[in-house]
Amino acid sequence: MALTAGVECRAPGYGVLVRVVGFQLHCPPNSTIYNKRGFVAVFYKEWFYLARRVLTGKMLSKPQPKPMTFIGAGASLQLSRAIAQFGIRELLVVTDKPLRELGVLDATLESLDRCGVNTHVYDGVLPDPTAKVVNDGVAMLQAQRCEAVLAIGGGSSIDCAKVVALAAANAVTAQDCVGFAQCKQPPLPFFAIPTTAGTGSEGTCIAVISDDETHEKGGVIDPAIIPRAAALDPTLMAGLPAHITAATGMDALTHAIESYIGVFGDDQTNQYGLAAAKLIFENLPTACKDGENLEAREAMALASYYGGLAITQALVGYVHAISHNLGALYGIPHGLGNAMVLPHVLELLKEDAAPAMAEIAVHCGFGSADEPKLALSQKLVDKVWEMNRELDIPAHHEAIKTEDLEHLVDLAMDEGYSYPTPRYFSREECRGVLARLQAAA
């Protein structure tokens, strides 16, 4: 690893990028890289970031399990029968109050009852579930002596249920599960029925929970938390409002694109990413305009699932690094945050990721393979901007405060260091994205 002697990276926003066995190493501000007698000394955070990234890549390079998947109208009822066939008799159902009150769970609960499965509904899930929400779910599971967990809902419900199943099996709290494969025992049998087409959490080895006091988000990452089976049932998504359909759909598009342009992808994750992107560009506007169109709903459910399968191995990038922290600090919904941030990040990466972005553009029909890669990359960026406008995704958010920008930059840069991004952003670039998202004074 060769560097110019005496290189300093102490100036705010200044970074040094180094390629080490295929991984990027970023020197954060207030650290020093220098040569001494032919050796490179790297201090403070940079080895931590490299180690975290290498270990993540090593774990995720192995093939990840995939849930048995039921697809199409009535898929949730098929999953109910499968749960009974697995011999489960006491089942904790994890969801949120609005879904329960709207009657979205009714048909599934009735089907489970007919199959001889007793259900106990925990409806305490909130957006961006906290550790307390998870721990309360564990307490109910233990009180009712449940043998397995079924999530019915969006990404928050599925993430919460994942950690409930893991924490209960290991007799620990939600906080103890945060990190890479922190638990020795596999989770209780876990199943998922997504009611939104966005997070793809039904196919991922990742769950995100928030700290009750700081609201910072922590990731529970373990291949064991991938559901044993999932149902992609468009009939449960038919009543989803257009603005939620739009935001969650753009979340799925973010997964498709970030997994494809990152450096951890392989042939399989790339196929999932391309398929998801094409399905979303072709079907999301229809799903928003005509929520009862089951063909478009099913296509979006499948796209979301493909995106989840892609990111569980290829991971994400700066869109998530920024959006996660907008959600943690201001409560901006994750899908909406991703939708707002995505075109800004792609504008910054359109040269570095031009080959991959060009391939997405060609696959989705935005140009031909004989066009210059940079031109195709720009066409993909333009299409994302166009999609946001068509779906009424806001370009700005009034919650973002100028006095918070430096703190948000710190958080986003720290998270972004561990992702397999095409390149690392400078502080100025990250701050610029956030400033452009602010509402005009």
Side-chain angles (χ1 to χ4, degrees):
M1 183 169 72
L3 288 175
T4 304
V7 172
E8 300 277 347
C9 59
R10 288 179 174 170
Y14 182 81
V16 176
L17 299 180
V18 185
R19 284 283 182 181
V20 184
V21 292
F23 296 97
Q24 296 175 18
L25 171 60
H26 187 284
C27 296
N30 304 317
S31 61
T32 303
I33 291 183
Y34 65 92
N35 282 343
K36 183 177 182 181
R37 296 181 182 179
F39 295 97
V40 178
V42 184
F43 293 100
Y44 307 116
K45 293 183 180 179
E46 14 325 324
W47 285 121
F48 166 73
Y49 290 126
L50 177 62
R52 182 166 66 178
R53 189 159 175 172
V54 169
L55 289 173
T56 305
K58 183 178 180 181
M59 184 183 82
L60 297 179
S61 65
K62 299 178 181 179
Q64 303 298 311
K66 297 175 180 61
M68 178 173 66
T69 311
F70 301 94
I71 304 172
S76 55
L77 306 184
Q78 291 179 283
L79 177 58
S80 298
R81 289 193 289 270
I83 291 171
Q85 290 162 0
F86 293 149
I88 293 165
R89 291 296 173 262
E90 300 295 334
L91 179 69
L92 182 74
V93 178
V94 176
T95 189
D96 59 61
K97 281 186 173 63
L99 280 182
R100 189 178 188 182
E101 292 170 354
L102 286 170
V104 174
L105 282 67
D106 292 352
T108 304
L109 296 180
E110 291 169 5
S111 177
L112 286 163
D113 182 64
R114 288 196 302 270
C115 292
V117 180
N118 297 320
T119 55
H120 309 274
V121 180
Y122 172 61
D123 62 3
V125 177
L126 301 171
D128 298 319
T130 64
K132 182 181 183 302
V133 169
V134 174
N135 292 334
D136 288 347
V138 172
M140 183 172 180
L141 179 148
Q142 293 170 336
Q144 300 297 334
R145 300 181 181 274
C146 294
E147 310 160 76
V149 180
L150 168 64
I152 304 178
S156 293
S157 292
I158 298 174
D159 281 6
C160 178
K162 285 179 176 178
V163 188
V164 167
L166 185 62
N170 286 271
V172 297
T173 66
Q175 296 91 326
D176 297 321
C177 299
V178 174
F180 298 98
Q182 293 297 303
C183 297
K184 295 181 179 180
Q185 299 299 320
L188 296 177
F190 167 59
F191 310 93
I193 302 176
T195 58
T196 63
T199 68
S201 188
E202 67 277 4
T204 72
C205 66
I206 304 166
V208 179
I209 59 173
S210 300
D211 184 278
D212 288 280
E213 295 182 0
T214 67
H215 303 293
E216 291 183 2
K217 296 188 177 184
V220 178
I221 305 175
D222 191 332
I225 64 175
I226 294 174
R228 292 194 181 186
L232 308 181
D233 192 334
T235 63
L236 299 185
M237 304 177 187
L240 199 66
H243 72 283
I244 298 179
T245 300
T248 54
M250 292 302 291
D251 185 13
L253 182 63
T254 303
H255 294 163
I257 293 176
E258 288 204 302
S259 67
Y260 195 86
I261 67 176
V263 300
F264 275 5
D266 58 22
D267 288 345
Q268 187 176 71
T269 63
N270 287 342
Q271 288 175 347
Y272 288 137
L274 287 176
K278 185 174 178 64
L279 283 168
I280 293 163
F281 280 120
E282 291 179 348
N283 291 279
L284 181 54
T286 300
C288 290
K289 294 173 185 174
D290 179 11
E292 300 297 324
N293 186 317
L294 295 187
E295 183 177 349
R297 289 290 190 186
E298 184 174 323
M300 285 304 303
L302 194 57
S304 176
Y305 177 58
Y306 285 160
L309 293 179
I311 65 170
T312 202
Q313 191 160 334
L315 297 184
V316 289
Y318 272 107
V319 179
H320 280 74
I322 295 171
S323 175
H324 278 158
N325 292 292
L326 290 175
L329 190 60
Y330 302 122
I332 296 174
H334 178 63
L336 176 60
N338 276 354
M340 294 173 63
V341 175
L342 178 60
H344 294 281
V345 168
L346 293 182
E347 288 280 11
L348 291 171
L349 293 176
K350 64 187 178 186
E351 294 185 15
D352 302 271
M357 290 173 63
E359 289 169 0
I360 297 173
V362 171
H363 185 78
C364 294
F366 306 148
S368 60
D370 57 356
E371 295 180 59
K373 287 183 171 55
L374 186 56
L376 288 167
S377 179
Q378 183 64 59
K379 285 186 176 182
L380 177 62
V381 177
D382 293 344
K383 186 62 179 180
V384 173
W385 282 116
E386 179 187 327
M387 183 79 91
N388 271 4
R389 289 191 294 270
E390 183 178 357
L391 301 179
D392 293 325
I393 299 293
H396 310 283
H397 204 291
E398 65 279 357
I400 303 172
K401 298 180 175 61
T402 300
E403 56 267 30
D404 295 333
L405 289 187
E406 292 308 314
H407 178 55
L408 284 166
V409 170
D410 288 339
L411 294 173
M413 292 289 285
D414 184 62
E415 182 174 338
Y417 290 144
S418 62
Y419 289 148
T421 54
R423 71 168 174 86
Y424 286 118
F425 284 178
S426 68
R427 289 184 63 85
E428 285 76 12
E429 288 174 316
C430 189
R431 186 186 300 108
V433 171
L434 289 161
R436 288 189 288 277
L437 291 172
Q438 285 185 283

